[in-house]
Amino acid sequence: MTRLFNKILIANRGEIACRVIRTARAMGIGTVAVYSDADAHALHVDLADEAVHIGPAPAAQSYLCADKILDIAKRLHVDAIHPGYGFLSENADFAQTCEDAGIVFIGPTADSIRKMGLKDEAKRLMTLAGVPVVPGYLGADQSEAHLNAQAREIGYPVLIKAVAGGGGKGMRRVDNEKDFAASLKGAKREAAGAFGNDHVLIEKYIQKPRHIEVQVFADGRGHGVYLFERDCSLQRRHQKVVEEAPAPGMSPALRRKMGEAAVAAAQTIGYRGAGTVEFIVDVEHGLDGAPFYFMEMNTRLQVEHPVTEMISGEDLVEWQIRVAAGEPLPLDQGDLAIDGHAIEVRLYAEDPSRDFLPATGTLNRYRPPMDEDFTRVDTGVREHDSISVHYDPMIAKIITWGEDREAALHHMAQALSETEIAGLATNLPFLKQVIAHPEFASGNVDTGFIPRHADALLPEAAPASDICLALATLGILAAREDRAFNEAARSNDPFSPWHDPSGWQANLASCECQDYIDGAGTSRSVKITITDQGYRLEIGGQRYDAQIRAHMEEGEIEAEISGQIYRATILVNPEQVQVIFAGNTETLKRLSAKFDPEEDADGPGAITAPMPGKILDILVSDGDFVEKGQALLVLEAMKMEHTLTAPRDGTVSNLSAKTGDQVSDGAVLVTISD
Ligand code: ADP
């Protein structure tokens, strides 16, 4: 095989950088990674042939620095740059500068990116090309009065969208006129912060929509194909969490119609490379014959491209590289066929019970599923890596394939049950609930699925089982036995009873208690008594005879409890114990007797910043009476707005924050007192 390029630079990080490096290597192409301070030890840096530091952790000073990246590309004589997704991938100026410098940009031309870059421009172009678009207002008059009048004319509910938007930012659904002004303000503020452009458009809000997008590929010389559709209807905060291909219930006729509309959209702008044309399909009266509307075109590879790869058998990154090198499209439309079904879930560091608030922390334990026959895992992190505030909190994409949807779902349930993760909040339990939900299994999905089934998908945490509490306690005892053993090994009198690892310990009273608060917020106590064989544990009046049979590296233990053998991983630290057992992770807070579970360490009713961020708006004043759930402050963190609400009824006091303040993680912002 002749090499298309000698060397490419990947202007990205995380799982997409790793994924591109793997394909390039398989094609015999050298790879250059770039990395920020936060990523010095990241997986993509280890995988690449060469890696160059580009600056501090914030993306604006590293991965978004077009000049620095181009300088490196020139200095290291790379032939082409793959931008991945996000960061510079849809930056027309960057694409242009690459081409001007004689370095191939693996993506479309700057002109195509510009044409599809703003949602209003793109919709105008598509209307001219005869592609259907959602009814709405695209005009230049951005005054509140005019936009308000337009919304009234379109008819509520409407959707306000930032024209420069992406990732669900700068978007607000408005159900009636009285909320319009506040939503417009929020959308514009978020858009200005995230994109430096606060222009919005207004669209009719489709009540029962499905998000179905078409993968297209074009060679820039008038030839284009579609690699079928993906259904991305499962969303939270207007962002995708589960994607699949093909779309459940899709007829061949509608597939062809949407596929051809998507290729027409690409050809209108002389497109080159991989692109995705996103449609919103109004499924009020079912999918057959449903009207579909162009929403936007993403002029890059999508996060969810693996499901297309799994059903088409094609490597889309390889296609991108070939087309960028000037080769024709590898296949014609007639050569492409769908084989089976694929589903992808995005494993995020986030807390579904707190409106999917992004989470940060260290992956104390991270074991993705092992099966390679039906499962693919795209990840950019390893165990002990951390998820920082600087970048997207996605940990991995887990993709499964099956002969049909039912088989793919079955493999997904299996893959999720094998996934072990601890150290930070993740959406893993939530994903398991989604995959197991009968409505999802029946293929009855639309973008309202998650909010509609929130109760089933986000069940109240159940109290920890006795076995879980017993395992946690044995984990603590095992760690203590290990310590005693290690000390004995180091001491000059290894036979001293002070070092007997099996039971007798001077620092353990003949009877001791370990107290916890479980995930349901209940305080639980385990009374431990040493016996001849091991330990007797008393939990809520029940007695269990237990023994630690083996204690392996990294917290894995084998224990016998009431004659039954259990294997689990127990991660112990002074604040908490995490029990990873039977596909679940349970976190138990360790507490001293004084700790009151109703009150956190900052005192009753203290509202703290859940992550570092900036105060955008303060909606209450000291002395105000507020009801549980009432909005108090708006915080911007990880480029999203988060509304902090009152945990209970009460009076606002100690309002220390001011609009514009930068606050750190855990800072007390306001107190709600009786
Ligand atoms: P972004 O570029 O920020 O991701 P999109 O325009 O792609 O925004 O829309 C994101 C999601 O918002 C869609 O997948 C869909 O679920 C929802 N959405 C967009 N437009 C509409 C609409 N007119 N009616 C109802 N839902 C919509």
Side-chain angles (χ1 to χ4, degrees):
M1 182 165 75
T2 53
R3 289 213 290 187
L4 301 168
F5 297 118
N6 282 320
K7 186 149 87 173
I8 65 171
L9 181 148
I10 297 95
N12 215 299
R13 63 178 299 283
E15 61 92 15
I16 189 61
C18 298
R19 193 246 165 285
V20 173
I21 291 168
R22 290 202 167 95
T23 290
R25 174 154 310 143
M27 296 174 77
I29 298 171
T31 51
V32 178
V34 291
Y35 65 93
S36 70
D37 285 347
D39 283 337
H41 303 287
L43 185 58
H44 76 280
V45 174
D46 286 1
L47 286 181
D49 299 318
E50 296 171 72
V52 187
H53 176 247
I54 45 168
Q61 295 166 48
S62 51
Y63 297 103
L64 284 168
C65 288
D67 295 349
K68 284 190 197 170
I69 291 174
L70 258 167
D71 281 349
I72 294 163
K74 287 183 205 154
R75 183 153 52 81
L76 271 64
H77 305 291
V78 311
D79 307 301
I81 295 183
H82 194 300
Y85 54 71
F87 297 133
L88 296 167
S89 63
E90 292 181 288
N91 183 319
D93 293 340
F94 180 64
Q96 190 63 55
T97 331
C98 289
E99 299 290 339
D100 293 347
I103 295 167
V104 175
F105 177 76
I106 303 179
T109 61
D111 180 56
S112 294
I113 299 176
R114 265 189 210 110
K115 284 190 169 128
M116 289 297 181
L118 295 177
K119 289 184 204 277
D120 54 344
E121 276 302 320
K123 281 180 79 174
R124 258 181 233 121
L125 265 171
M126 290 302 114
T127 312
L128 290 178
V131 179
V133 303
V134 189
Y137 172 73
L138 307 172
D141 188 343
Q142 292 283 311
S143 69
E144 190 201 310
H146 187 73
L147 292 173
N148 200 330
Q150 290 297 324
R152 194 179 315 138
E153 198 171 313
I154 294 164
Y156 286 95
V158 298
L159 195 65
I160 303 174
K161 273 188 193 179
V163 300
K169 288 169 203 138
M171 192 146 80
R172 293 286 188 285
R173 171 188 167 156
V174 196
D175 289 324
N176 50 53
E177 193 166 334
K178 94 176 160 29
D179 297 336
F180 187 82
S183 299
L184 180 67
K185 191 174 154 205
K188 279 187 169 280
R189 186 176 51 209
E190 199 169 280
F195 316 111
N197 175 351
D198 74 350
H199 273 228
V200 296
L201 60 85
I202 300 176
E203 269 179 11
K204 177 85 197 144
Y205 186 82
I206 313 263
Q207 301 270 10
K208 197 169 182 209
R210 270 171 72 175
H211 174 121
I212 299 182
E213 57 184 35
V214 179
Q215 175 71 56
V216 293
F217 244 97
D219 63 2
R221 293 185 290 250
H223 188 200
V225 297
Y226 59 92
L227 286 94
F228 317 108
E229 77 282 359
R230 296 183 284 260
D231 191 312
C232 312
S233 298
L234 250 74
Q235 306 181 346
R236 41 104 186 91
R237 292 171 166 262
H238 296 297
Q239 279 185 286
K240 303 159 185 170
V241 258
V242 180
E243 300 105 340
E244 57 185 309
M250 181 66 119
S251 70
L254 185 58
R255 172 171 301 129
R256 188 167 338 107
K257 220 164 129 187
M258 291 180 72
E260 285 169 1
V263 171
Q267 269 161 345
T268 304
I269 57 165
Y271 200 72
R272 177 190 75 196
T276 294
V277 181
E278 296 190 332
F279 293 104
I280 187 158
V281 186
D282 187 346
V283 290
E284 192 68 56
H285 305 290
L287 184 59
D288 249 353
F292 61 88
Y293 307 103
F294 171 89
M295 233 176 352
E296 64 171 343
M297 179 168 182
N298 291 321
T299 52
R300 53 170 165 83
L301 198 66
Q302 300 271 100
V303 176
E304 59 274 21
H305 76 276
V307 290
T308 300
E309 298 189 322
M310 301 278 271
I311 61 153
S312 66
E314 299 302 316
D315 180 328
L316 297 191
V317 173
E318 181 180 339
W319 278 49
Q320 284 190 298
I321 292 173
R322 291 192 178 283
V323 169
E327 286 201 351
L329 293 179
L331 294 174
D332 288 326
Q333 193 65 54
D335 303 325
L336 288 159
I338 296 178
D339 178 24
H341 197 98
I343 300 181
E344 171 180 289
V345 300
R346 300 190 192 186
L347 180 61
Y348 273 109
E350 66 182 17
D351 188 347
S353 68
R354 295 165 75 195
D355 196 21
F356 301 96
L357 190 74
T360 56
T362 303
L363 292 160
N364 293 336
R365 177 99 175 165
Y366 174 46
R367 307 282 160 96
M370 302 286 277
D371 165 69
E372 285 183 359
D373 292 337
F374 300 100
T375 309
R376 162 175 166 181
V377 179
D378 282 18
T379 190
V381 288
R382 293 165 289 200
E383 194 163 77
H384 306 308
D385 282 354
S386 36
I387 303 292
S388 75
V389 290
H390 301 292
Y391 315 112
D392 184 81
M394 190 165 76
I395 299 166
K397 307 187 299 204
I398 301 173
I399 310 108
T400 57
W401 180 91
E403 277 173 11
D404 53 23
R405 188 167 186 270
E406 201 184 333
L409 267 172
H410 172 79
H411 293 307
M412 183 58 81
Q414 181 75 26
L416 293 179
S417 75
E418 285 169 9
T419 304
E420 289 186 3
I421 193 155
L424 36 62
T426 77
N427 64 347
L428 179 62
F430 170 78
L431 293 171
K432 287 181 188 169
Q433 298 284 349
V434 170
I435 295 301
H437 198 284
E439 281 287 299
F440 181 68
S442 73
N444 192 5
V445 289
D446 62 78
T447 62
F449 184 91
I450 289 175
R452 194 164 56 244
H453 298 293
D455 288 348
L457 300 174
L458 299 165
E460 293 259 318
S465 66
D466 284 4
I467 292 301
C468 174
L469 292 164
L471 286 169
T473 308
L474 293 173
I476 294 172
L477 296 169
R480 235 186 247 172
E481 285 183 4
D482 272 4
R483 255 196 324 273
F485 190 80
N486 289 338
E487 274 161 28
R490 260 184 273 123
S491 99
N492 13 0
D493 177 13
F495 300 107
S496 155
W498 292 93
H499 304 310
D500 178 356
S502 66
W504 189 90
Q505 288 173 13
N507 58 348
L508 180 67
S510 59
C511 174
E512 125 175 21
C513 277
Q514 285 289 337
D515 298 318
Y516 310 99
I517 293 186
D518 67 13
T522 321
S523 39
R524 311 288 297 272
S525 183
V526 179
K527 192 168 151 200
I528 311 156
T529 319
I530 297 167
T531 63
D532 290 348
Q533 273 81 39
Y535 303 99
R536 172 163 310 137
L537 306 177
E538 280 182 59
I539 307 170
Q542 285 283 340
R543 283 184 170 191
Y544 301 90
D545 281 316
Q547 246 180 300
I548 299 163
R549 289 163 52 101
H551 186 209
M552 283 77 81
E553 295 274 292
E554 310 198 41
E556 284 175 45
I557 73 166
E558 187 178 292
E560 190 177 318
I561 305 171
S562 298
Q564 199 169 318
I565 293 171
Y566 296 88
R567 269 178 215 91
T569 297
I570 322 287
L571 305 174
V572 179
N573 73 39
E575 284 91 44
Q576 63 179 36
V577 186
Q578 289 186 297
V579 180
I580 305 168
F581 174 62
N584 285 311
T585 300
E586 177 97 36
T587 302
L588 302 168
K589 261 193 215 161
R590 300 178 72 175
L591 82 174
S592 63
K594 297 189 294 303
F595 201 94
D596 178 351
E598 293 299 309
E599 298 180 1
D600 56 34
D602 302 302
I607 315 297
T608 54
M611 58 181 69
K614 189 169 125 194
I615 303 290
L616 290 182
D617 212 352
I618 296 177
L619 309 165
V620 291
S621 319
D622 270 341
D624 284 0
F625 180 79
V626 291
E627 288 174 10
K628 182 176 177 185
Q630 188 173 332
L632 305 171
L633 304 137
V634 183
L635 178 78
E636 185 198 56
M638 293 174 110
K639 297 218 167 62
M640 296 279 287
E641 289 192 6
H642 307 280
T643 303
L644 306 182
T645 57
R648 57 189 166 97
D649 295 356
T651 306
V652 176
S653 59
N654 300 329
L655 184 59
S656 57
K658 291 188 305 298
T659 305
D661 279 0
Q662 284 290 343
V663 292
S664 54
D665 192 3
V668 178
L669 305 174
V670 61
T671 309
I672 306 299
S673 48
D674 291 328

